[in-house]
Amino acid sequence: MKGTLYIVATPIGNLEDITLRALRILKEVDLIAAEDTRQTLKLLNHYEISKPLISYHRHNEEVKSDILIEKLNKGENIALVSDAGTPGICDPGEEIIKKSIKEEIPVIPIPGACAMINALIGSGLDTKEFEFMGFLPLNKKTRKEKLLEIKNSNKTIIIYEAPHKMKNTLEDLNEILENRKIVLARELTKIHEEFIRKDLKELIEEIDNIKGEMILIIEGRTKLEKEENSLNKMSLEEHYKYYENLGLDKKEIIKKIAKDRNVSKNEIYMKFTK
Ligand code: SAM
């Protein structure tokens, strides 16, 4: 019989944030695959759990997942944990989960802490519809596209960001957003947990003094913005200019306009090449 892969969520700061079920699974499995074995050892020691550990991180995901699949196929039960929170959410996990499903190995997620969910529910922004964007890309072009997506989204957006890159991200957001509510959630579940609700300009001024792990939650496009800035209300030339001002090239602009107006790229292309 095949073993089971358990995807176990662990705390994002406060060690009490682990479920009874997660602790039982960690005690019962044959092996724990951990993003950083030293980090996981601290958690296991705290709960007096002694288990063999194997490292499973971004740089060895491909190779290690094959080794783990072999063990699972032989009947071993394995728990996958990351350094903090839910594995697979901006953390390693996807590779082994996909391979396990392919091999018909049972995959059981064990729920628990996930920083983006905590940030969202504490933000006070709309939770009915939201989009998690993870970390914004560093590549200039894809970053610009993501920023445009944020600008045009009606949903609440959640972004993870490393503290030393936060200022740059806030500045990029400030260039494209007008009057949006924004919440910076920091040090969730820890002593200095805080939800900072300020406008972007104020946040930029203060960010050098704000420390710790952080998440940004951004309000979706407001009603007013929707009415005033509706791209489809612009003439085709204004619509083109709008994207041109954002630095997009002709091919990208045509693709975007076609998507916004729900028409074929060819139709837009013809209009600009006559
Ligand atoms: N797998 C994790 C989860 O379930 O949320 C996320 C891991 S990701 C590599 C790390 C990012 O999550 C950080 O850069 C930060 O944006 C966010 N994060 C994690 N823990 C946090 C905390 N306690 N407070 C605020 N943000 C946190």
Side-chain angles (χ1 to χ4, degrees), residues 2-7 56 65 68-69 72-73 93-109:
K2 297 193 185 220
T4 297
L5 176 68
Y6 295 93
I7 317 296
Y56 179 87
S65 54
L68 294 176
I69 290 287
L72 286 158
N73 270 330
E94 259 178 279
E95 190 75 26
I96 176 89
I97 294 167
K98 282 184 184 157
K99 280 186 182 162
S100 297
I101 292 166
K102 219 172 176 180
E103 295 276 327
E104 296 185 357
I105 292 163
V107 175
I108 302 185

Side-chain angles (χ1 to χ4, degrees), residues 120 123-130 154-156 217 219-220:
L120 174 68
S123 70
L125 299 182
D126 201 340
T127 57
K128 281 188 271 317
E129 283 192 281
F130 60 89
N154 296 332
K155 300 172 187 161
T156 304
I217 311 98
E219 180 185 35

Side-chain angles (χ1 to χ4, degrees), residues 9 79 83 115 129 133 165 185 190 197 241-242 272:
D83 284 355
E129 283 192 281
M133 287 201 173
K165 293 187 185 145
K190 306 181 199 175
R197 299 176 177 89
K241 197 96 202 130
Y242 168 80
F272 287 106

Side-chain angles (χ1 to χ4, degrees), residues 19-259:
T19 68
L20 296 173
R21 185 171 173 223
L23 290 174
R24 176 176 61 76
I25 298 292
L26 292 175
K27 277 181 201 150
E28 284 177 4
V29 289
D30 299 296
L31 180 68
I32 298 173
E35 186 182 7
D36 179 345
T37 51
R38 286 162 306 177
Q39 191 67 21
T40 299
L41 207 53
K42 286 185 209 158
L43 178 77
L44 297 182
N45 287 341
H46 182 82
Y47 285 103
E48 297 177 353
I49 298 171
S50 169
K51 239 347 109 174
L53 286 164
I54 183 169
S55 82
Y56 179 87
H57 51 71
R58 272 225 191 287
H59 308 291
N60 67 13
E61 232 182 321
E62 184 78 32
V63 181
K64 282 291 170 75
S65 54
D66 287 340
I67 296 170
L68 294 176
I69 290 287
E70 212 178 304
K71 290 179 183 293
L72 286 158
N73 270 330
K74 282 187 189 150
E76 285 188 44
N77 293 319
I78 298 177
L80 174 72
V81 297
S82 61
D83 284 355
T86 302
I89 303 296
C90 289
D91 268 343
E94 259 178 279
E95 190 75 26
I96 176 89
I97 294 167
K98 282 184 184 157
K99 280 186 182 162
S100 297
I101 292 166
K102 219 172 176 180
E103 295 276 327
E104 296 185 357
I105 292 163
V107 175
I108 302 185
I110 309 295
C114 182
M116 63 132 164
I117 295 294
N118 249 44
L120 174 68
I121 57 176
S123 70
L125 299 182
D126 201 340
T127 57
K128 281 188 271 317
E129 283 192 281
F130 60 89
E131 191 174 342
F132 174 58
M133 287 201 173
F135 292 93
L136 287 184
L138 295 177
N139 172 283
K140 254 188 168 176
K141 186 168 168 257
T142 41
R143 187 173 173 94
K144 200 170 270 173
E145 282 174 3
K146 279 281 162 208
L147 288 165
L148 270 177
E149 257 183 64
I150 296 173
K151 183 180 169 69
N152 292 322
S153 177
N154 296 332
K155 300 172 187 161
T156 304
I157 303 277
I158 311 162
I159 297 173
Y160 281 170
E161 192 51 284
H164 65 284
K165 293 187 185 145
M166 188 53 98
K167 190 166 190 175
N168 186 29
T169 294
L170 291 172
E171 283 169 348
D172 283 351
L173 288 169
N174 191 40
E175 277 184 25
I176 56 149
L177 300 180
E178 295 154 34
N179 286 326
R180 286 280 183 94
K181 281 189 194 148
I182 187 152
V183 179
L184 187 147
R186 73 170 193 109
E187 293 292 87
L188 296 169
T189 79
K190 306 181 199 175
I191 298 167
H192 299 293
E193 173 174 294
E194 191 180 11
F195 287 86
I196 305 174
R197 299 176 177 89
K198 297 209 163 145
D199 70 33
L200 265 167
K201 286 193 183 67
E202 279 178 291
L203 265 182
I204 292 169
E205 273 167 27
E206 292 172 26
I207 194 66
D208 288 337
N209 300 318
I210 302 173
K211 306 275 176 248
E213 293 195 281
M214 312 172 185
I215 299 175
L216 282 180
I217 311 98
I218 305 162
E219 180 185 35
R221 207 153 56 129
T222 59
K223 238 182 170 173
L224 197 69
E225 263 182 289
K226 270 180 236 167
E227 283 160 12
E228 284 180 353
N229 297 336
S230 170
L231 295 171
N232 295 348
K233 275 191 183 166
M234 296 176 180
S235 70
L236 212 50
E237 286 68 26
E238 286 168 341
H239 202 159
Y240 190 100
K241 197 96 202 130
Y242 168 80
Y243 282 127
E244 197 175 46
N245 287 341
L246 290 167
L248 269 62
D249 64 34
K250 188 171 178 179
K251 203 171 151 208
E252 292 166 331
I253 297 175
I254 288 174
K255 206 168 134 194
K256 291 266 178 213
I257 296 180
K259 197 173 169 215

